[in-house]
Amino acid sequence: MNEPHLDGNDNSTEHGPNPRTGAISLEGMHGSVEVPPHHAGFWKHWRAFIGPAILVSVGYMDPGNWGTDLAAGAQYKYGLLWVVGLASLMAIFMQVISSRLGVVTGKDLAQCCRDWYPAWTRIPNWLCCEVAIGACDLAEVLGSAVALNLLFHIPMLWAVIITGLDVLILLAMESFGMRTIEGIVLVLIATIGICYYIEIFILPQMHPSFADMGRALFTPNLREAGMIYVAIGIIGATVMPHNLYLHSALVQSRRVQRDEASVRKAMLFNAVDSTVALTIAFFVNAAILVLAAIVFFGKTSVTVAGGQVVTFGGDSDWIRIAYLTLAPLLGTGAASLLFVVALLASGQSSTITGTLAGQVVMEGFMHWRMRPWLRRLITRILAIIPAVVIIGIRGDSSVNDLLTLSQVVLALQLPLAMFPLLHFTSSRKRMGAMKNGWFLLVTGWGSALLITAMDIWGLPDSLKSAWHVIAGGSAPSN
């Protein structure tokens, strides 16, 4: 019989270990949240299952998104809003599929790759995952450090080092359980959303054109020079490879009964959780792009306090420019303050999920078992080292270029996570009757192929831009 055993007593590698006895990731959180029986009402299930996608969604509005979204709005107005929408839609499909894999098999994606692919693939797959997580962590470290630098005028190098201490926050939170972590991240997401709501809808100088935004959202084009590089950056910042590994592990924090009705109910509510959380992430990303489009598009410079002239260009550090110029352009210092508070909340929330993702891939691929505090400390140090080196060599300049570059690296890593995920969840041998239906087959494989095609199309520009940044220059504006 090809269907997976759902009674929780199967320990075979084909159908996944018993979540209570096999090798598991995030051990302290596994099965820690009770869920009601499958016949309970909608709201009881909603309260039980909401959470994993909230943690995943912060990766879709991390500082890397800020760099790409600000660059897109400032340079092309609403021209790349459709990319934000498309990337968010593809992210929903991929995260729904990831959650299904975790619920049905009792394994996360890293464990599935280890158990169901040849042994020689483990180390290369693990190293590729670590590269992607390192790129994401670089964005988070730089984003948080920039926020600290702008708020408190701490030198960037020291601000980066200070961000390393936030791993202690995560360690402290874990002792209070998964629900506490989810609640804190939800507060940070709400902070981001409220800040942008005030900036766009409350400040009187802001007048977004919903008609123009609607046309741009449903009229795809990449006609202008440089659009493809920024578009790939947006996709890399939105559909994130490490989130596919993380989500398949986080859904196992719910103690789901292994009968078929309970598993199907879990898949349904994880899909609802993913759709709601990532729709919110879309609105945050769209708000960042819209803010940049309204304030910066068509302008070449602005004079700030003290008479300093800040010039705009294709190679501008848009995060710093936004902080320095929002106040004079919008006529209120609250605009800059709201911006940097939201940036700090973004960096800190992403730090939590990035550290958890590093733990998932290390345990899943390599089965390395070490004390949780040591494992997370190592993960965080590995994220800080490249940032310290880069800031030490290049100084505070071109942080936005590095953020955009990190997102391009993520986009290039995506196929290595997407295709195994789709391979497993489309297989009756692995998923039984709960394999992907025709809708997820079409949308999942379509998303993976489209993202891969855009990666290949933009690879020459990506490599050229990467070389410019690594060699000490700025990414070319094309």
Side-chain angles (χ1 to χ4, degrees):
M1 183 175 179
N2 289 327
E3 293 188 15
H5 299 291
L6 298 177
D7 59 4
N9 296 318
D10 179 44
N11 290 318
S12 69
T13 58
E14 179 176 341
H15 299 304
N18 183 331
R20 291 176 288 278
T21 60
I24 58 176
S25 298
L26 302 179
E27 187 171 357
M29 303 176 186
H30 197 283
S32 61
V33 179
E34 294 282 355
V35 299
H38 66 84
H39 52 76
F42 176 88
W43 292 112
K44 285 186 177 180
H45 276 103
W46 172 254
R47 287 194 300 269
F49 283 102
I50 187 173
I54 291 175
L55 294 183
V56 169
S57 72
V58 301
Y60 295 87
M61 48 185 125
D62 72 349
N65 292 80
W66 292 52
T68 54
D69 292 337
L70 287 169
Q75 296 176 55
Y76 308 110
K77 199 176 182 181
Y78 305 135
L80 289 175
L81 189 60
W82 69 273
V83 177
V84 176
L86 178 63
S88 299
L89 187 62
M90 291 190 294
I92 291 174
F93 297 144
M94 300 308 297
Q95 295 301 158
V96 167
I97 293 171
S98 175
S99 69
R100 289 169 66 95
L101 178 70
V103 169
V104 174
T105 66
K107 297 174 181 270
D108 58 60
L109 179 57
Q111 292 169 334
C112 291
C113 290
R114 175 188 170 89
D115 292 344
W116 296 337
Y117 283 153
W120 65 265
T121 64
R122 292 172 188 169
I123 292 179
N125 274 339
W126 172 63
L127 291 176
C128 287
C129 288
E130 293 291 357
V131 169
I133 291 171
C136 183
D137 280 347
L138 175 61
E140 292 155 6
V141 166
L142 289 173
S144 295
V146 168
L148 291 174
N149 171 257
L150 295 175
L151 272 175
F152 306 111
H153 306 291
I154 300 171
M156 273 295 295
L157 186 59
W158 283 107
V160 166
I161 295 173
I162 290 172
T163 61
L165 300 178
D166 54 20
V167 71
L168 302 177
I169 300 174
L170 176 59
L171 295 175
M173 286 191 302
E174 187 188 0
S175 63
F176 295 101
M178 174 62 80
R179 281 303 206 183
T180 299
I181 295 177
E182 292 169 352
I184 291 173
V185 170
L186 180 59
V187 170
L188 292 171
I189 292 174
T191 300
I192 300 170
I194 290 170
C195 287
Y196 270 98
Y197 178 83
I198 293 173
E199 286 197 315
I200 293 179
F201 295 105
I202 303 299
L203 297 182
Q205 296 85 348
M206 299 291 285
H207 299 288
S209 171
F210 291 99
D212 289 347
M213 286 188 286
R215 281 192 293 270
L217 189 60
F218 297 103
T219 310
N221 83 85
L222 293 170
R223 291 190 294 268
E224 296 184 44
M227 267 189 163
I228 183 64
Y229 177 75
V230 179
I232 290 176
I234 290 173
I235 290 176
T238 305
V239 188
M240 307 186 78
H242 70 276
N243 269 341
L244 301 180
Y245 294 94
L246 178 61
H247 202 178
S248 58
L250 289 176
V251 294
Q252 296 175 56
S253 64
R254 272 51 183 177
R255 195 177 303 168
V256 178
Q257 297 298 314
R258 304 308 296 169
D259 61 279
E260 182 173 341
S262 295
V263 171
R264 289 191 180 278
K265 186 72 73 171
M267 289 194 301
L268 171 63
F269 277 90
N270 277 299
V272 173
D273 187 30
S274 300
T275 303
V276 172
L278 296 183
T279 299
I280 293 171
F282 160 71
F283 283 114
V284 170
N285 284 319
I288 297 170
L289 187 149
V290 167
L291 176 72
I294 294 173
V295 177
F296 301 121
F297 181 74
K299 296 183 175 66
T300 58
S301 65
V302 65
T303 302
V304 298
Q308 178 188 0
V309 177
V310 178
T311 303
F312 305 154
D315 60 350
S316 294
D317 185 344
W318 285 108
I319 288 182
R320 286 187 176 277
I321 284 179
Y323 176 77
L324 293 172
T325 61
L326 281 176
L329 285 173
L330 298 180
T332 173
S336 292
L337 179 61
L338 289 167
F339 176 86
V340 77
V341 167
L343 176 61
L344 184 59
S346 169
Q348 290 307 294
S349 57
S350 300
T351 289
I352 296 171
T353 57
T355 305
L356 293 175
Q359 181 180 343
V360 167
V361 300
M362 182 183 293
E363 292 179 344
F365 279 113
M366 307 307 294
H367 281 188
W368 288 349
R369 313 299 297 183
M370 61 182 71
R371 293 183 182 276
W373 67 268
L374 178 59
R375 181 170 51 238
R376 286 171 189 160
L377 187 61
I378 291 173
T379 302
R380 202 68 191 129
I381 289 173
L382 291 176
I384 291 173
I385 288 174
V388 169
V389 171
I390 291 168
I391 297 299
I393 294 174
R394 296 191 54 197
D396 298 356
S397 62
S398 300
V399 169
N400 195 74
D401 287 329
L402 294 170
L403 288 173
T404 302
L405 175 63
S406 71
Q407 305 313 304
V408 173
V409 171
L410 287 172
L412 296 176
Q413 292 290 333
L414 260 173
L416 301 179
M418 292 187 299
F419 288 114
L421 173 65
L422 290 165
H423 175 209
F424 298 143
T425 55
S426 302
S427 168
R428 180 171 290 275
K429 178 181 180 182
R430 306 304 182 192
M431 299 282 286
M434 299 184 194
K435 71 182 183 69
N436 291 335
W438 68 267
F439 179 77
L440 286 179
L441 280 173
V442 172
T443 55
W445 285 102
S447 298
L449 292 172
L450 178 59
I451 291 170
T452 303
M454 290 191 71
D455 281 352
I456 295 172
W457 183 17
L459 186 59
D461 280 346
S462 300
L463 295 177
K464 180 180 176 182
S465 300
W467 173 249
H468 276 267
V469 174
I470 293 170
S474 298
S477 58
N478 296 315

